[in-house]
Amino acid sequence: MAMLEIKDLEVYYGAIRAIKGISFEVEAGEVIALIGANGAGKTTTLHTITGLVPARKGSIQFLGQELTRIPAHKIVTLGIAHVPEGRRIFSEMTVYENLLMGAYIRKNRKETEETIAYVYERFPRLKERAKQIAGTLSGGEQQMLAMGRALMSHPKIMLLDEPSMGLSPILVSEIFTIIKEISAAGTTVLLVEQNAKKALSIADRGYVLETGNIVLSGTADELKEDESVRKAYLGE
Amino acid sequence: MESVIEQIINGLRTGSIYALIALGYTMVYGIAKMINFAHGDIIMVGAYSLYVFISLLHIPVILSILLSILVCALLGITMEKVAYKPLRNAPPLAVLITAIGMSFLLQSLALLIFKANPIPFKSIIKLAPVKIGSITIAGISIITFLVTTLIMIFLTLFIRYTKAGRAMRAVSEDRQAAELMGIDVNRTISMVFAIGSALGAVAGILYVCQYQTLQPTLGALPGIKAFVAAVFGGIGSVPGAMLGGILLGVIESISKAYISSELADAIVFSVLVLVLLLKPSGLLGKNRIEKV
Ligand SMILES: Nc1ncnc2c1ncn2[C@@H]1O[C@H](COP(=O)(O)OP(=O)(O)O)[C@@H](O)[C@H]1O
Ligand SMILES: [Mg+2]
């Protein structure tokens, strides 16, 4: 059984059906790319997984547990960390406090300090800026902080929503290298991206989302070779 | 000279009470993004509770104080759950009208139970006045300073350094992101209403000890003044509410003594308008301030 299994999921905003019955799965250890144009429903899908938006129909199973009835604040305790679109760091708190927030569900303070040390090792720039107010960080640093904050909960799976958004090509590469490292360290990754090329370069498999439907799926190599994907998402 | 200092001391005393009340407005605003116009009436409930516990039920003073605080905290939590929570996603105007309705409801209940006639209440503060040189500081002033200073220090440390305080700041900044961290937003909002209302109870107790009379509308005036103080200091800002409350008290007291007691309120409001013209977010409003 897959780690994360989504079946016939439908999500509405008022009367508008934003997700129209999608199914997909993520196996433990995989990096899965969910690609699609702006407005396709990628963010909505992630929000539904972590309970920020309710599902109307269908199911979301994580390690055999149904998520659609669990309140949002309990979902992180199951091992799901969500790095939201636009980072959503706590911009009036310090970098250090943001990391503490990431460990909110963890009780052992000593262990938390150890995890912070680990995050600082992975993101040395966060360590330099530990006492700085997070809102004053650059876009790339804020993305790193959002990812570091997610790591603080020791997730089994990390959901990343457009981590490359608004970053320079060099920073984008840096962020993707880190995602690969996080995956190599044993965390499963569900990666939402408009930057399909980058996403498919590190993914094992991918799904293409179009106006609330999954229109294509396959291994990353298959998708990279697919005519319609090349045209629509790889700009070729 | 002595009289100026005494006026300032009076202003600081009233101002500290405003500050306590303003903290409730500002914390609730920070976390629930609404002005709880019934907050002034929590003060009234605090004052009446004290009267009931001490004068009617003859419960020891300290216990009566604690019980009054508890009553207000529970009232704050209940009010949020029953009246405001169902309106979380409603237009601001609906929330505003509900809050005003809550205020009327509390006043009407007090009127129903205790009638309109003012009830005399003897201050529970027995501290003798202290003389420094030629200046006399009343016992109630000393107690008020002591209590409010301690509360403000404690609250600041709580918000800044505890896990619950950080959770409050997180919810106030980004409710969804806070949920993703595992914070129970409903519980956090309840906690803020409880804290704000508990501070309101303390303010009510200090207020009734100063004026020594109870009326169902007694919370209205300090409530509105403290709201002004919260806006003055920067709504949403905790240090802003403290500063705004204290400044407002001092400005009011000085204007009353040296300009005109009739015009004092007009002067206070003019200063508010002036500050808001120069700095629309209030004295300490806007970024980098610890919001709750
Ligand atoms: N809070 C919302 N209220 C109403 N409609 C929304 C909301 N969020 C997203 N939508 C709509 O749902 C659709 C999917 O949006 P989204 O999930 O953000 O897409 P993506 O992340 O792929 O860009 C879009 O048509 C968008 O306009
Ligand atoms: Mg999106």
Side-chain angles (χ1 to χ4, degrees):
Chain A
M1 194 209 233
M3 183 183 228
L4 181 66
E5 243 181 59
I6 286 149
K7 259 216 186 89
D8 305 320
L9 182 69
E10 287 185 43
V11 182
Y12 284 71
Y13 290 111
I16 299 161
R17 194 159 68 132
I19 300 294
K20 303 168 181 167
I22 62 170
S23 302
F24 68 93
E25 51 194 49
V26 181
E27 303 281 348
E30 280 187 314
V31 175
I32 297 296
L34 186 61
I35 58 180
N38 193 16
K42 306 180 296 296
T43 297
T44 303
T45 304
L46 294 194
H47 278 198
T48 314
I49 295 171
T50 43
L52 296 178
V53 171
R56 175 74 62 91
K57 283 207 183 95
S59 79
I60 303 172
Q61 301 250 325
F62 180 69
L63 298 172
Q65 196 166 2
E66 180 61 43
L67 297 188
T68 49
R69 270 163 213 39
I70 298 179
H73 70 270
K74 294 248 171 76
I75 287 186
V76 63
T77 61
L78 305 174
I80 302 179
H82 184 164
V83 182
E85 184 175 274
R87 347 282 190 217
R88 309 276 289 263
I89 52 159
F90 300 109
S91 59
E92 291 173 23
M93 295 189 189
T94 65
V95 167
Y96 175 74
E97 285 177 323
N98 267 274
L99 294 177
L100 284 183
M101 291 318 303
Y104 184 81
I105 57 163
R106 304 190 70 81
K107 300 271 181 288
N108 185 331
R109 188 64 194 247
K110 189 167 152 277
E111 207 179 83
T112 296
E113 291 299 337
E114 284 165 16
T115 315
I116 288 180
Y118 166 79
V119 168
Y120 282 160
E121 213 173 292
R122 177 143 276 153
F123 304 97
R125 253 182 291 177
L126 294 185
K127 185 174 186 177
E128 287 163 31
R129 306 199 183 285
K131 294 221 163 64
Q132 202 168 316
I133 300 291
T136 64
L137 298 181
S138 71
E141 289 163 350
Q142 293 195 7
Q143 185 59 47
M144 290 176 193
L145 179 56
M147 289 163 70
R149 184 179 70 175
L151 284 174
M152 291 302 301
S153 66
H154 294 213
K156 298 189 175 86
I157 187 170
M158 192 184 281
L159 318 179
L160 289 147
D161 198 342
E162 308 225 24
S164 74
M165 196 200 262
L167 301 184
S168 69
I170 296 172
L171 274 170
V172 171
S173 296
E174 201 175 321
I175 294 289
F176 275 84
T177 306
I178 294 164
I179 297 173
K180 265 198 297 199
E181 286 171 13
I182 289 172
S183 160
T187 306
T188 307
V189 173
L190 175 56
L191 172 64
V192 155
E193 264 297 343
Q194 276 191 64
N195 189 338
K197 197 173 190 165
K198 271 288 178 191
L200 291 175
S201 77
I202 64 163
D204 298 306
R205 294 188 298 118
Y207 294 88
V208 179
L209 197 59
E210 243 175 56
T211 55
N213 289 302
I214 286 179
V215 293
L216 202 62
S217 65
T219 65
D221 289 332
E222 283 165 5
L223 291 178
K224 274 186 277 190
E225 295 308 316
D226 185 273
E227 199 58 39
S228 60
V229 172
R230 293 174 76 103
K231 263 215 188 103
Y233 302 106
L234 302 177
E236 288 173 19
Chain B
M1 190 58 204
E2 284 82 28
S3 79
V4 177
I5 293 175
E6 271 167 17
Q7 287 311 326
I8 290 176
I9 290 171
N10 283 341
L12 287 174
R13 182 187 60 215
T14 338
S16 316
I17 296 177
Y18 291 158
L20 281 186
I21 308 169
L23 281 168
Y25 278 110
T26 228
M27 289 174 75
V28 162
Y29 178 84
I31 206 147
K33 311 296 173 217
M34 62 159 292
I35 302 295
N36 179 16
F37 271 111
H39 186 58
D41 303 291
I42 299 264
I43 295 148
M44 175 273 292
V45 172
Y48 272 98
S49 304
L50 187 73
Y51 160 74
V52 169
F53 291 132
I54 289 183
S55 305
L56 303 186
L57 302 176
H58 307 290
I59 294 173
V61 169
I62 297 291
L63 192 58
S64 293
I65 291 173
L66 293 177
L67 285 173
S68 305
I69 292 172
L70 186 69
V71 164
C72 287
L74 292 177
L75 176 65
I77 293 174
T78 312
M79 191 154 74
E80 194 275 330
K81 283 256 183 306
V82 173
Y84 303 143
K85 191 175 166 212
L87 298 176
R88 286 262 173 92
N89 300 312
L93 203 56
V95 183
L96 177 73
I97 290 168
T98 307
I100 293 172
M102 271 319 284
S103 167
F104 280 134
L105 178 71
L106 292 177
Q107 285 185 26
S108 307
L109 284 176
L111 195 61
L112 211 66
I113 301 170
F114 300 102
K115 309 295 178 253
N117 291 340
I119 302 171
F121 180 80
K122 235 167 105 31
S123 172
I124 52 171
I125 294 167
K126 303 279 191 284
L127 194 68
V130 171
K131 256 182 118 68
I132 303 174
S134 55
I135 295 158
T136 313
I137 308 176
I140 175 131
S141 299
I142 294 169
I143 297 285
T144 304
F145 298 146
L146 217 64
V147 168
T148 49
T149 308
L150 280 177
I151 285 178
M152 287 184 201
I153 291 172
F154 181 78
L155 188 69
T156 304
L157 295 177
F158 174 77
I159 291 169
R160 188 169 300 190
Y161 295 113
T162 67
K163 195 169 177 175
R166 275 193 297 273
M168 280 159 51
R169 281 188 280 153
V171 173
S172 108
E173 228 191 286
D174 187 333
R175 203 176 279 181
Q176 283 192 333
E179 281 189 295
L180 293 180
M181 303 298 112
I183 297 168
D184 186 338
V185 168
N186 286 333
R187 224 183 58 192
T188 309
I189 291 179
S190 286
M191 187 174 72
V192 168
F193 269 84
I195 295 174
S197 306
L199 299 182
V202 175
I205 292 168
L206 293 170
Y207 192 81
V208 76
C209 287
Q210 184 169 331
Y211 293 101
Q212 313 212 358
T213 164
L214 289 150
Q215 258 178 306
T217 53
L218 80 82
L221 202 58
I224 198 81
K225 293 258 176 74
F227 168 62
V228 170
V231 174
F232 187 48
I235 189 91
S237 159
V238 165
M242 300 176 188
L243 182 68
I246 289 168
L247 279 180
L248 195 104
V250 172
I251 295 170
E252 188 184 74
S253 159
I254 297 281
S255 327
K256 259 189 192 146
Y258 297 105
I259 304 174
S260 146
S261 63
E262 286 80 28
L263 283 181
D265 287 343
I267 292 166
V268 165
F269 277 90
S270 311
V271 174
L272 170 77
V273 169
L274 204 68
V275 167
L276 292 185
L277 279 176
L278 298 172
K279 201 161 178 305
S281 55
L283 291 174
L284 301 182
K286 204 96 190 136
N287 302 329
R288 306 278 220 111
I289 300 303
E290 239 145 344
K291 283 200 191 140
V292 150

